[in-house]
Amino acid sequence: MQEILNKVIKDPIHGFIDFNGARENELKNLLSDSFFQRLRRVKQLGFSDYVFPSAAHSRFAHSLGVYKIAKRMLTIIEPEGSSGNWSQKAEACLAAALLHDVGHGMFSHAFERAMGFFLARNKLEEGKRESLEDAVDHEKVTQKIITDSTIGEALVNFGGTEFPAMVRDIIKKADKNCIYTSVVSSQLDADRLDYAKRDAYFAGVSSGGIDLDWLLRNLKVGKNGDARFLYVDSKAYISLEQFTVTLFQLYPTIYLHKKIRGLEFMFALLLSRVFELIAAGDVPATGLSDTHPFVRFFRDPSNLDQARLLDDTLFWGSLHQFREASDASVRDIATRLSDRRILPMIDIWKVADEILASRSEVVELTAKTRVERIEAVCKAVAARLQKETSIWSDGCYYDTYNRPIYKPMGVVGGDPQQINVSVGGQILDIASISPVVASAASFNIHRIYYDDRKVRNTDDLKRFIREAAETEMARL
């Protein structure tokens, strides 16, 4: 009688991450692939440990957590799967859960922003531009790794020649009506359920009070036309409401924290300048050697073997070289980063909020109207500022982001991409049930970061923003 394979990995969020039986343990072998091992060296939250010292957890750990939750969700869709009898679609879903982040660049999304800075400031041949854009797009890189690398070969050996494409299509949401796609990518997916708990835990913030066990216990499978989906009865909808609120609150608390965004801006400035020098053929000015992985990546961005070398540890290991670069910009930003001297920032939202608070009519405004008024003022001020050439320069950066609490779809009867709640025999979007979710709350940032080496007249910059905010507020 063949021994049943059961292997576990300990995890502070989920207790144990189980790989049961021969098939799941074949999937576990993906963890040993060099592309997946690279995720150990990519932090889940980029520069967040500069603000929250314990937030140094990796994409590797997060990916295991997503696998754990996806497996629990799949047992609701395929109860017989828990004994090792998963359908091929379920196995593709488990593989997708493990691999959904395998193409993330160093410092997660900050690497994409760095390349965006470079491409916005430099003219390149269309083919080179496109290859660089694709090389930092974590979704495209993930899909390429799944089909065109050693991971792709392992997936073929596991499930046949069509299996890598099945895994890729789940991650890219090729079929949004597919319940297996919704497990990995939807508004209630294993990815969000893991990082909502994991990120809060490691950052040490109070958000993250999701009753995950209760929520998963109450998930059921519904059907609307040809689409199957997961839903909960109304008795458990508070857990779903709690999840949406928790995820929403992590944005102002962690993801959009002013200092973390400032560090990402500095990183983007540094790498953008490094890429400029490489493109100009002046590699020595960067402080790097001609064979350094950054140089090799820039020259051959479509090569996955080059991308595999790029992780957080490569950057930190190169920082001393950047600090000794002959290029003053590279040298200065690298020094500031290593010394945690974050570039200064002016919060337009805070300025507009203070101005509105001083006006008598503020007491008559609803919270929704107040936020809408401040948002309108911030956008107008930013637009005016960027046209003011005597103040605005390439040393300024406008950082804006809008994160709504939820994106309602309003599909009556249920949909795989919305959060579904059953009330009175009818399945509705949670936004139709919860007054909190229906509030359409959003968190917005409008900030000006500036390089104080280049922006000398900072008093003029601050004065312009305040005066423009007062003018725009008076117009409303």
Side-chain angles (χ1 to χ4, degrees), residues 191-205:
D191 182 24
R192 290 169 175 82
L193 286 168
D194 181 76
Y195 72 66
K197 286 187 71 71
R198 189 174 300 275
D199 293 353
Y201 174 85
F202 282 101
V205 301

Side-chain angles (χ1 to χ4, degrees), residues 347-373:
D347 192 332
I348 305 177
W349 186 282
K350 183 178 179 181
V351 172
D353 196 11
E354 290 173 352
I355 292 170
L356 182 57
S358 68
R359 299 170 70 92
S360 58
E361 71 266 25
V362 68
V363 295
E364 301 173 3
L365 300 178
T366 64
K368 184 174 183 292
T369 302
R370 176 177 164 278
V371 168
E372 289 174 347
R373 184 171 294 189

Side-chain angles (χ1 to χ4, degrees), residues 80-124:
E80 67 281 4
S82 58
S83 60
N85 299 315
W86 298 115
S87 69
Q88 188 177 50
K89 197 74 173 180
E91 289 180 338
C93 184
L94 288 172
L98 269 181
L99 299 171
H100 75 286
D101 273 351
V102 75
H104 256 292
M106 59 175 65
F107 301 103
S108 298
H109 298 284
F111 189 50
E112 297 174 37
R113 294 178 71 193
M115 186 59 74
F117 268 40
F118 167 73
L119 295 175
R121 300 180 181 199
N122 295 271
K123 291 183 179 180
L124 298 175

